[in-house]
Amino acid sequence: ARVLVKIVTDFITVIQFRHPNEVGGAQLVFGQLTSVATLFIALHLAEASEKLGKEMSRLWFISYILTAAALFSYIVFFTNINKGYTHTFFSFETGGQMNIRTFREQEDDAAKAAAIFPNNKNQWKSIHEEVKDWVWQNWPK
């Protein structure tokens, strides 16, 4: 199901559907740009086959409208989001990797716990032993 959601999200280029636990921001942006590019590649191939005839002009027009709408959506999105998060769209770090990094960098025990425990265990299973040791060391607190 997750793969299907990823494919649909990339194909419709709605950036608001981005979920950092799936892929990093750079991969998402690349996937969405690839989706737009494949639209034009498919149109060129269809035009070369000459099977659609007069429909091609309508398809080109629709593709320009959809591409402009996607571009407008990106512009609106990036002008309205918290500017502190803009860099995440150009990073290869996933949500799970960020949680592990946050856990390791935090000194405060509450911040360490907040970086790990509310999240899916599969995101931090690579450091399970490290988390387990930390819990045992801090259990008496």
Side-chain angles (χ1 to χ4, degrees):
R2 290 171 54 181
V3 172
L4 181 62
V5 169
K6 174 75 174 108
I7 291 169
V8 170
T9 300
D10 282 355
F11 183 72
I12 61 174
T13 66
V14 177
I15 197 76
Q16 290 85 347
F17 288 151
R18 173 192 180 212
H19 197 287
N21 294 336
E22 299 297 330
V23 295
Q27 291 100 324
L28 176 104
V29 171
F30 175 76
Q32 295 205 333
L33 291 174
T34 303
S35 295
V36 171
T38 56
L39 170 65
F40 290 102
I41 291 169
L43 285 172
H44 278 291
L45 292 173
E47 194 169 52
S49 74
E50 298 179 357
K51 290 183 180 178
L52 296 176
K54 295 180 180 180
E55 290 296 315
M56 284 309 301
S57 61
R58 185 181 316 174
L59 291 174
W60 279 109
F61 177 74
I62 291 170
S63 68
Y64 293 139
I65 296 296
L66 292 175
T67 303
L71 181 61
F72 179 73
S73 172
Y74 282 123
I75 291 168
V76 169
F77 180 75
F78 280 109
T79 56
N80 287 304
I81 67 167
N82 180 334
K83 301 306 180 227
Y85 296 120
T86 303
H87 74 279
T88 66
F89 289 89
F90 306 101
S91 167
F92 288 96
E93 184 178 57
T94 65
Q97 292 166 337
M98 182 197 70
N99 294 335
I100 291 170
R101 179 180 49 78
T102 303
F103 175 81
R104 288 179 169 161
E105 291 176 356
Q106 293 298 321
E107 298 294 325
D108 179 52
D109 289 336
K112 280 183 175 277
I116 295 295
F117 297 125
N119 299 300
N120 187 315
K121 188 176 180 180
N122 289 324
Q123 288 186 347
W124 51 273
K125 68 182 174 187
S126 64
I127 63 164
H128 176 74
E129 289 301 316
E130 186 178 340
V131 172
K132 183 176 162 184
D133 291 342
W134 173 76
V135 169
W136 278 111
Q137 290 170 4
N138 291 286
W139 191 262
K141 293 180 184 180

